[in-house]
Amino acid sequence: MSGMFDTSVEVDRPVEHVFAYLADGRNDTEFSPRVQSIEKTPDGPTAVGTVFRSTVKDAGVKTSREFRITALEPPHTIRWTEQSKNLITAEGGYDLEPLPGGGTRVRIFNELDGHGLGKLLVAPALRAARKDAPDFGRRIKAAVERS
């Protein structure tokens, strides 16, 4: 079983600034409380093929995650896919649209997919993600505007 959640938020920063911030997945710790730590390889600017490895805590359980950047089209599109072998994995991205006055509309989305026992867990995980999506968008907005 799989399913998707998404949300949109308007950020009071130019699209280039928002793109640069979100393309550096190491910033995830600033707006995602579940991300405990994150590393990037290789060093240098984020590009297609860049990998972000993180430790996350969901429902009290720590897991290791590995995401690979699959598309990067400055300053509008960021896509990733999870390479980890977890019960629930994600594939998603950001779509960025410049707004009149210099702001940016950010659409955040993820498709969650259950594997093995994760097929039973993906429905409650999706409900939780959908419930949190508006707050997640607000946390991204606040973090980008602080940067």
Side-chain angles (χ1 to χ4, degrees):
M1 178 179 170
S2 65
M4 188 170 151
F5 71 92
D6 70 335
T7 193
S8 293
V9 65
E10 292 185 6
V11 178
D12 187 25
R13 292 291 182 269
V15 69
E16 295 81 8
H17 177 88
V18 178
F19 181 89
Y21 181 87
L22 293 174
D24 187 348
R26 295 172 297 185
N27 290 323
D28 286 12
T29 59
E30 296 179 18
F31 56 81
S32 184
R34 59 189 286 276
V35 178
Q36 311 258 297
S37 64
I38 193 162
E39 300 173 347
K40 174 182 152 187
T41 55
D43 288 334
T46 300
V48 171
T50 296
V51 173
F52 292 95
R53 290 182 182 89
S54 62
T55 300
V56 301
K57 191 172 184 179
D58 290 309
V61 177
K62 282 187 182 181
T63 58
S64 295
R65 303 280 174 168
E66 183 175 295
F67 290 89
R68 181 174 306 279
I69 299 296
T70 58
L72 202 64
E73 299 168 17
H76 301 288
T77 305
I78 303 169
R79 297 285 183 274
W80 59 79
T81 189
E82 187 168 354
Q83 307 291 300
S84 317
K85 304 296 183 207
N86 289 302
L87 294 176
I88 299 173
T89 58
E91 187 170 316
Y94 299 109
D95 291 322
L96 290 78
E97 173 188 349
L99 297 172
T104 304
R105 178 174 294 115
V106 179
R107 176 179 172 255
I108 307 120
F109 65 94
N110 270 301
E111 182 165 346
L112 303 182
D113 194 19
H115 311 279
L117 180 61
K119 291 180 181 183
L120 300 174
L121 302 173
V122 75
L126 273 168
R127 279 193 299 277
R130 288 174 178 151
K131 181 179 178 184
D132 182 57
D135 286 337
F136 186 64
R138 286 189 282 275
R139 290 192 303 268
I140 287 174
K141 173 184 172 60
V144 175
E145 289 179 354
R146 279 192 309 267
S147 68

